[in-house]
Amino acid sequence: MRQYQYHLKEERKTEKIFCNQCGKEIIVKNEMPQEDILTVEKRWGYFSEKDNEVHRFDLCESCYDKLIAQFVIPVEKENG
Ligand SMILES: [Zn+2]
């Protein structure tokens, strides 16, 4: 979940990021999150029941780990 600060020329800067699952604030300095997070943005299409809705959320790493621990098929991992 992101809170934005609006400036001139309709430019928006990410001011605050919160993990949607646990509510933890992710520190942002110079527009860079200071820890790695998962950001999901999905526009649901015609064949969904959410016709054209855009859903967005952010998860901190530990909430991401809890989420993928529930998967029946593990995530694919690659190094490098
Ligand atoms: Zn979290």
Side-chain angles (χ1 to χ4, degrees):
M1 189 263 284
R2 291 169 183 240
Q3 291 180 346
Y4 296 101
Q5 193 178 47
Y6 289 85
H7 292 273
L8 296 172
K9 297 179 187 172
E10 296 177 7
E11 174 193 338
R12 69 179 186 177
K13 288 186 169 181
T14 303
E15 190 178 37
K16 287 186 172 184
I17 303 175
F18 297 92
C19 172
N20 282 71
Q21 177 68 32
C22 70
K24 181 175 94 166
E25 182 174 354
I26 311 298
I27 305 298
V28 179
K29 282 185 188 164
N30 302 320
E31 296 194 61
M32 283 289 295
Q34 298 299 295
E35 60 184 274
D36 209 357
I37 56 172
L38 173 73
T39 300
V40 175
E41 181 171 311
K42 165 68 179 167
R43 180 182 293 277
W44 290 93
Y46 182 76
F47 294 105
S48 73
E49 292 177 5
K50 304 170 189 59
D51 195 8
N52 225 20
E53 279 179 22
V54 177
H55 289 194
R56 255 182 234 110
F57 62 87
D58 297 291
L59 287 182
C60 72
E61 187 175 4
S62 73
C63 289
Y64 169 81
D65 289 341
K66 285 179 207 155
L67 174 72
I68 65 168
Q70 301 168 38
F71 288 3
V72 173
I73 299 171
V75 297
E76 290 172 40
K77 292 180 185 175
E78 206 173 286
N79 285 320

